[in-house]
Amino acid sequence: MLCAVTSARCSGHNITRALHLNGSTPRSNRLIGSLRALSSAAGQHKKRRPEILGRAYSDDASSSPRSKSQWPFQLLSAGLLLAIGYGMAKSDIADIFSQNAERKYASHQDLQQAISELQEALPNKVIMDPNALKTYGSSANSYHPASPHSVIVQVHSTDDVVKVVNIARKYRVPVVPYSGATSLEGHFSGISAGDICVDLSAMDQILEIHEDDGDLICQAGTRWEDVNQILKDKGIPLFFPLDPGPGATIGGMIGTGCSGTNAVRYGTAKAEWFLNVTVVLPNGKVIKTRRRARKSSAGFDTTKLFIGAEGTLGIVTEATLRLAPVIPTKVAMAQFPDVQYAVSAVQEILNNPNGPHIQCVELLDNHSLTSRELPVSDTLFLKLQGTDSSIKETANAIKKIFKKHGSSQFEFAATQQQAEELWENRKYALMSTLTAGGEGTRVWTTDVCVPVSRLPELVYKTKKDLADNGLHSTIVGHVGDGNFHALIQFHKDEELPAVSAAVHRLVHRAIALDGTCTGEHGVGVGKKEYLVDELGPDTVELMRTVKKAIDPLNIMNPHKLYPDDNADRKEHRIQ
């Protein structure tokens, strides 16, 4: 019995400590009070044990038979009460720490109290308009489950974000970061249990530019196009080479681990383009992941912990960007009989001595529209960079290689205007696809990535699958790194199941070719079910372990990125 009492007391202390570490809420405070009382009761029984046992086994004639016979029942009753109380406390704690129970989040009353505190702490920055809550919680170009947010807070500084996170943690309200709203996989969707949307779009300032060091510091809501435009306007011959979709912000680019058309030459967000990030953690602490030096071997790379984490480990508020020198470029276009010839030609170019002069190489398939009158064919768009002489030498090598692989046409943009027009064909492929489908056209956009040598097989099988199922699409690819996007058109909600099934088959097909479910869009809601197939259960469990260590209350953008426990994954036959 002494062991049981001591165990109850020690467990009460340990659980109380764990609740403190996981944050304070009205419910946890009540539970802590109960546990303290339970622990105190256990301590009192431990102290009284010698007295009780002494009386029970005493030869003192004054000890009555009645008292001797009752002490076991008293002790048993006390132990039973302790066990019941401990069991109830343990049940509450299991509920609080459950990673799947929706009820672990704030009650309606707690949510309203959190909103009141937000309005007091951040006056004139809290939005409750129902239309805004719905707009911020979904995307017109995403078809994954979504809910309106409960409240929007427009933050302007890291301190503002800290205030929001502290209130969210106090009441266990999920927090969803939002900035450019360009992601396609449901990253900024609202949470059905209720959530706080943290709008970082007003945090769009460049704070410092270090031209001599080739870097700058900016806030997370800054758009990448604005970074490059400001550098150009200031006459600084540097640029930030990551170029995802128009309107993407630095915070979102970090969250999704983005890339873009320049990836073949400059790599992705997971290269060294983000020297450090400032992050507000779920516990309200603010960290900077490293100093501004170009390289460091001091510990593991905590910057990369947040790249691709999709806001599930903390909210990035600032970043130091590494810049690259602006190099003269020329835009070229070539057409091929089919994608197999085009990809084979690109592989040969990238692997020869002129390969480093290729900045971008993009594919638009024969269903894509262009702003110029070109024959309907699979078309490559390229950017060559270097000095005039190196570009000329590279162009001559490309012509020979393309001709060997069946290219029917190759030309350079004669003027800057023509170059911009040519490149717009690639950059605005989504808008072109929407226009091509006519009034009421909607597009499901998805991306996968495979080893470059497997890209022709993937594109061929995917186009055949879509055609066999009566679906119209455009294929747009970063041919140089094996990443391609399928833009599938539809008009009615009744067509969504067929489109969704085609997307699932495409993803399974890519993974079967030793590829990935997403090359640059990120996981969000739409791709999380594939992570176990792609990474394996142990790798996914490691991701969950990191998540639970940093965000034990699971308030940071929950239900995104990490596969649902014991989820029934959809099976679609690969064609």
Side-chain angles (χ1 to χ4, degrees), residues 138-197:
S138 60
S139 169
N141 296 315
S142 175
Y143 304 99
H144 305 300
S147 297
H149 299 294
S150 302
V151 60
I152 301 164
V153 183
Q154 294 182 319
V155 293
H156 291 78
S157 67
T158 299
D159 286 344
D160 284 354
V161 177
V162 171
K163 292 176 183 178
V164 174
V165 170
N166 284 338
I167 292 171
R169 185 180 67 258
K170 178 180 178 181
Y171 292 98
R172 292 194 191 184
V173 184
V175 177
V176 178
Y178 176 100
S179 53
T182 61
S183 62
L184 299 168
E185 297 295 348
H187 294 93
F188 53 87
S189 297
I191 308 301
S192 59
D195 70 273
I196 301 168
C197 174

Side-chain angles (χ1 to χ4, degrees), residues 266-286:
Y266 293 100
T268 74
K270 295 183 179 180
E272 293 291 323
W273 295 109
F274 297 105
L275 297 179
N276 62 51
V277 292
T278 298
V279 186
V280 178
L281 297 176
N283 61 11
K285 293 182 179 180
V286 180

Side-chain angles (χ1 to χ4, degrees), residues 248-294:
T249 64
I250 296 302
M253 292 162 68
I254 292 169
T256 58
C258 80
S259 55
T261 63
N262 286 331
V264 68
R265 172 67 178 82
Y266 293 100
T268 74
K270 295 183 179 180
E272 293 291 323
W273 295 109
F274 297 105
L275 297 179
N276 62 51
V277 292
T278 298
V279 186
V280 178
L281 297 176
N283 61 11
K285 293 182 179 180
V286 180
I287 65 165
K288 194 165 187 173
T289 53
R290 55 174 275 198
R291 298 285 184 171
R292 202 164 50 83
R294 276 297 178 99

